Amino acid sequence: MSTNPANTESHSAASAMLAAIPSVDRVLNMATTLALIGEFGRVPVSSAIRTVLAQLRDQVVHADTLPADTFAEPAIHLRLQAALRLAARPALRQVFNLTGTVLHTNLGRAQLPDVAIQAVIDAMTRPCNLEYDLDGGSRGDRDNLIEPMLQELTGAEAATVVNNNAAAVFLALNTLGLRKEIIVSRGELVEIGGSFRVPDIMARAGCKLREVGTTNRTHLKDYAESITGKTAMLLKVHTSNYAIQGFTASVAEKEMAKLAHEHDLPFMVDLGSGTLANLRGLGLPSEPTPQESLASGADLVTFSGDKLLGGPQAGIIVGRKDLIAKIKKNPLKRALRVDKMTYAALDAVLRLYRDPESLVQNLPTLRLLTRSVEEIEVMANHIFPFIALALTGHATAAIKPCQSQIGSGSLPVNLLSSVCISISPLAKGGTALKRIEQAFRQLPIPVLGRIAESTFCLDIRCLETEQIPEFINQLKQLTLTT
Ligand SMILES: *Cc1c(COP(=O)(O)O)cnc(C)c1O
């Protein structure tokens, strides 16, 4: 029990305040609340009222003073409106990806081009010929929707599509290697994104992994000596997300294909990213293409739809007609098949590759990857004063050169020159930095950067010109605390 008179006084003031908080029923019957019910529905409004009243009770208990009109209708209405807007936000929200990783797996990888978005909308708003042959008037095969484009672009005899590249590898292994052995180089037993590990996929696909060679060196004779009656295929995995340097050796696809074919075995290449474009021609580090692997003699090639290809999440398998036919007969194909949205988007993206000259302009992934430092710098200069202003009293900002990454396991050693706004808190210590990072994350459209060398770094490469007004506007709402 407190005997301090001041304490007792504030205690009784709080009790009076608590008693003044309106009841749920009273708020429900306010005229402004009726309007909100019309907009959001009765159940969400009732739930928001309970949330707001609980917040008020909490504030009365913890805050020293509250404005006199805190419980008046206009103030309650504003709080309710804010709570309802917050609760009505979709679970999947847009963000600004200023992390410097262009194809960020956690942020949804490739952004679709407008033509692909329109194709998805068209496919979703009316019935479509997903599995219907409009010429013959009979049942069709959904893979027929993209097979001709993939044949044209990669030179493959046949193609099929599943949910992602992990599924593509899994399905191919399970179809051709069940209870048999798959020969892979030790240097290629990679883990991608923490959840795709070649040995684990292989075990789940019912195949036995036959590792050959060493981490840094594998020779043709290592493969040759491991082929037995139990061998189902030779597999090459593109070690896209790491590079070993120094005393290394691996076997060219051509030689592996020749060896496999001498033993009547298929040779498969998991490319991971697998671009269809000539990246070197675009001034980017080169990356193997499915057309090159097929030309080298690969019987099957698997790659992702949403990495460098710049399309929807998908796993694409191209290659020999008889092998693709077997894969499509596997009952698991049905379990891994993709929706009409994916076919619509993938077809639209693939069509862009028919016109290599306008590809960069039309495909967001390649547009962002090939942006010049000069262009990024202009954008950085433009937004810099607004960021500096929003940080006043809390942090300083500077425009600095930085390096972007392609991401999604592509080309780890090849970084792209870029420009960032580097933010340093005035207060010392890691928590000040964390608070700045959090404040940007709590904006209406969260801004995600990266923490590097005690600064919060916003890589401007992926900020699109038309998003700048939106970006600048919301900086007024940046809430920094000390
Ligand atoms: C990314 C990657 C995968 C997995 O592809 P998802 O489309 O993410 O399922 C498999 N293999 C390699 C070599 C990769 O780079």
Side-chain angles (χ1 to χ4, degrees):
M1 275 279 288
S2 169
T3 48
N4 181 332
N7 225 344
T8 318
E9 201 172 289
S10 74
H11 196 263
S12 63
S15 307
M17 284 286 271
L18 278 175
I21 294 177
S23 69
V24 173
D25 269 347
R26 231 191 83 210
V27 179
L28 257 177
N29 290 317
M30 287 174 177
T32 51
T33 304
L34 293 178
L36 289 176
I37 290 172
E39 188 181 345
F40 294 95
R42 181 169 294 274
V43 174
V45 170
S46 303
S47 146
I49 293 174
R50 276 188 292 274
T51 306
V52 165
L53 296 184
Q55 277 168 6
L56 285 173
R57 272 191 291 277
D58 200 53
Q59 275 189 303
V60 167
V61 174
H62 293 106
D64 289 341
T65 51
L66 284 174
D69 60 358
T70 303
F71 307 141
E73 181 162 349
I76 298 262
H77 176 67
L78 283 181
R79 281 178 187 255
L80 264 184
Q81 210 171 29
L84 284 161
R85 293 217 171 114
L86 211 62
R89 278 194 320 209
L92 195 58
R93 291 167 59 202
Q94 296 190 328
V95 301
F96 284 107
N97 173 15
L98 306 191
T99 60
T101 301
V102 179
L103 291 168
H104 199 304
T105 297
N106 304 146
L107 305 180
R109 292 192 185 163
Q111 290 161 236
L112 288 184
D114 291 344
V115 281
I117 294 161
Q118 190 54 50
V120 172
I121 293 172
D122 290 348
M124 298 310 287
T125 42
R126 280 201 203 153
C128 59
N129 62 331
L130 178 64
E131 285 185 354
Y132 189 77
D133 175 359
L134 289 171
D135 292 328
S138 57
R139 202 201 134 111
D141 175 345
R142 56 179 73 199
D143 280 334
N144 290 348
L145 297 167
I146 42 82
E147 195 171 49
M149 279 307 304
L150 285 166
Q151 284 167 333
E152 179 187 318
L153 295 168
T154 68
E157 285 176 14
T160 184
V161 176
V162 286
N163 189 44
N164 51 33
N165 188 39
V169 174
F170 173 80
L171 185 63
L173 291 176
N174 178 266
T175 307
L176 303 172
L178 188 61
R179 286 185 286 275
K180 290 181 157 179
E181 289 184 0
I182 314 280
I183 304 182
V184 194
S185 160
R186 280 213 167 80
E188 296 172 4
L189 296 175
V190 294
E191 170 178 307
I192 285 133
S195 55
F196 178 90
R197 292 174 131 194
V198 174
D200 296 349
I201 291 278
M202 204 158 297
R204 290 294 172 141
C207 308
K208 195 160 180 300
L209 171 65
R210 185 83 169 78
E211 299 173 42
V212 299
T214 60
T215 308
N216 59 331
R217 289 174 76 82
T218 302
H219 305 281
L220 190 64
K221 74 170 177 11
D222 296 322
Y223 289 100
E225 284 166 3
S226 308
I227 295 175
T228 68
K230 288 190 227 134
T231 306
M233 71 155 84
L234 266 57
L235 171 67
K236 189 171 185 71
V237 180
H238 179 49
T239 55
S240 42
N241 65 348
Y242 86 121
I244 36 174
Q245 283 164 348
F247 188 56
T248 65
S250 62
V251 181
E253 289 180 358
K254 246 194 183 90
E255 291 179 74
M256 285 186 71
K258 184 158 168 276
L259 177 66
H261 298 158
E262 278 165 10
H263 292 83
D264 246 342
L265 295 169
F267 168 49
M268 176 164 116
V269 180
D270 172 21
L271 277 186
S273 209
T275 174
L276 294 175
N278 173 2
L279 292 193
R280 182 142 284 175
L282 299 173
L284 290 170
S286 75
E287 174 84 354
T289 65
Q291 47 274 40
E292 284 162 3
S293 297
L294 291 169
S296 299
D299 301 286
L300 289 173
V301 182
T302 62
F303 55 103
S304 281
D306 56 354
K307 292 188 182 172
L308 282 169
L309 187 74
Q313 181 189 302
I316 300 164
I317 314 176
V318 292
R320 247 165 62 190
K321 202 180 174 91
D322 60 325
L323 299 180
I324 297 281
K326 265 192 194 167
I327 287 170
K328 287 171 69 164
K329 282 205 199 85
N330 187 332
L332 285 170
K333 165 68 165 67
R334 175 66 169 73
L336 302 172
R337 76 176 186 190
V338 297
D339 181 55
K340 55 185 180 281
M341 288 192 272
T342 305
Y343 282 99
L346 189 56
D347 179 52
V349 167
L350 289 174
R351 276 167 203 281
L352 295 178
Y353 281 88
R354 287 180 128 174
D355 180 9
E357 264 140 56
S358 53
L359 184 64
V360 167
Q361 204 182 314
N362 291 333
L363 198 65
T365 297
L366 291 183
R367 193 176 64 230
L368 294 174
L369 288 173
T370 55
R371 263 186 154 180
S372 70
V373 180
E374 293 73 28
E375 186 191 341
I376 302 168
E377 197 167 9
V378 169
M379 307 258 297
N381 281 322
H382 184 71
I383 63 170
F384 177 76
F386 299 93
I387 291 190
L389 182 70
L391 294 171
T392 309
H394 297 280
T396 57
I399 297 177
K400 288 191 181 157
C402 74
Q403 306 257 281
S404 312
Q405 292 189 23
I406 292 177
S408 274
S410 321
L411 317 157
V413 284
N414 297 305
L415 300 166
L416 310 169
S417 295
S418 187
V419 178
C420 73
I421 294 180
S422 165
I423 298 169
S424 310
L426 295 178
K428 295 264 175 300
T431 57
L433 198 58
K434 278 260 171 246
R435 275 201 303 270
I436 287 172
E437 184 259 343
Q438 188 182 20
F440 277 93
R441 197 155 29 82
Q442 284 172 346
L443 284 168
I445 303 174
V447 174
L448 307 178
R450 68 166 184 267
I451 288 182
E453 293 161 22
S454 308
T455 70
F456 181 54
C457 187
L458 300 175
D459 185 330
I460 307 304
R461 173 175 294 277
C462 293
L463 185 63
E464 302 264 20
T465 315
E466 61 276 12
Q467 295 169 347
I468 288 189
E470 198 172 35
F471 181 87
I472 289 174
N473 256 327
Q474 70 165 5
L475 286 175
K476 293 185 203 96
Q477 294 178 58
L478 191 76
T479 315
L480 289 164
T481 52
T482 36

